[in-house]
């Protein structure tokens, strides 16, 4: 597991400057912006998904750094890319975009549906920023209500 001090050093190296005690500066809906909570949640997510080698963790954090604009944005911000203007915009540490990808993702989620169901539209919890399956399911449930019979196999 990473310690809070190690995570601060990693974020500092990725950003090129010392982070404050908080991240997600451009994410108003995140409930806890502390590096301490981020460290706890990322360590839990790494365990949950079997990301246990140093190189795996570093590659994941480097990719997340790019996707989140150096851990500032929990959602894709408006820009020139069409996906940023869509209801299928990127959210979480590793952004998933486009309607087709949301559909594929939610089909996988329905295989685990007993574990996941929560009606929130914004990424308010830091745990959702790190592991955003709840938010993606909620959005796709709202959009694809007519597909429930197919997805509830």
């Amino acid at each position: 597991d990473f310690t809070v001090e190690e995570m601060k050093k990693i974020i500092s190296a990725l950003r090129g400057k010392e982070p404050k005690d908080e991240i997600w500066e451009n994410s108003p809906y995140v409930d806890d912006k502390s590096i301490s909570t981020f460290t706890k949640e990322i360590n839990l997510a790494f365990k949950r998904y079997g990301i246990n080698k140093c190189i795996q963790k570093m590659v994941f954090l480097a990719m997340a750094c790019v996707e989140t604009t150096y851990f500032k944005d929990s959602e894709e911000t408006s820009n020139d890319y069409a996906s940023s203007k869509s209801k299928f915009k990127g959210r979480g540490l590793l952004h998933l975009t486009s309607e087709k990808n949301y559909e594929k993702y939610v089909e996988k989620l329905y295989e685990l549906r007993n574990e996941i169901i929560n009606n929130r539209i914004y990424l308010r919890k830091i745990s959702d920023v790190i592991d955003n399956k709840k938010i993606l399911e909620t959005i796709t449930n709202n959009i694809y209500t007519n597909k429930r019979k197919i997805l509830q196999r």
Side-chain angles (χ1 to χ4, degrees):
D1 283 2
F2 287 111
T3 66
V4 173
E5 288 308 310
E6 289 170 333
M7 189 58 70
K8 283 182 181 180
K9 287 178 184 176
I10 291 167
I11 293 170
S12 174
L14 291 169
R15 283 186 171 184
K17 63 179 181 178
E18 282 294 318
K20 302 172 186 156
D21 288 330
E22 293 189 342
I23 50 179
W24 312 116
E25 293 95 318
N26 301 335
S27 302
Y29 301 110
V30 175
D31 69 335
D32 187 339
K33 298 180 181 195
S34 71
I35 293 175
S36 172
T37 302
F38 174 77
T39 303
K40 176 185 153 209
E41 292 292 337
I42 200 74
N43 284 330
L44 289 171
F46 284 159
K47 286 177 186 167
R48 185 178 313 122
Y49 296 106
I51 300 171
N52 47 31
K53 294 181 181 166
C54 184
I55 189 69
Q56 293 172 313
K57 292 177 182 182
M58 295 314 296
V59 167
F60 184 94
L61 289 172
M63 179 59 99
C65 179
V66 170
E67 293 277 343
T68 62
T69 321
Y70 302 97
F71 302 104
K72 293 178 184 176
D73 302 307
S74 63
E75 298 181 0
E76 190 174 9
T77 56
S78 292
N79 56 44
D80 291 337
Y81 296 105
S83 63
S84 73
K85 297 165 185 62
S86 167
K87 55 188 159 194
F88 303 104
K89 68 181 179 176
R91 293 175 173 86
L93 284 182
L94 301 180
H95 291 173
L96 176 68
T97 57
S98 92
E99 184 173 4
K100 182 183 265 187
N101 290 331
Y102 269 71
E103 281 181 345
K104 287 178 187 176
Y105 189 78
V106 83
E107 285 179 20
K108 293 292 183 192
L109 290 177
Y110 269 95
E111 294 171 11
L112 304 169
R113 70 184 176 275
N114 292 335
E115 179 186 331
I116 309 160
I117 291 192
N118 195 326
N119 284 324
R120 281 179 299 182
I121 298 301
Y122 299 105
L123 294 171
R124 294 186 180 178
K125 300 235 177 251
I126 186 63
S127 58
D128 293 341
V129 172
I130 292 169
D131 188 356
N132 62 351
K133 61 188 171 189
K134 293 174 191 166
I135 188 69
L136 293 172
E137 181 186 15
T138 300
I139 291 167
T140 47
N141 276 343
N142 291 338
I143 295 168
Y144 298 110
T145 53
N146 61 336
K147 292 188 178 185
R148 280 188 186 261
K149 290 179 185 173
I150 296 168
L151 296 173
Q152 289 179 348
R153 310 179 211 139

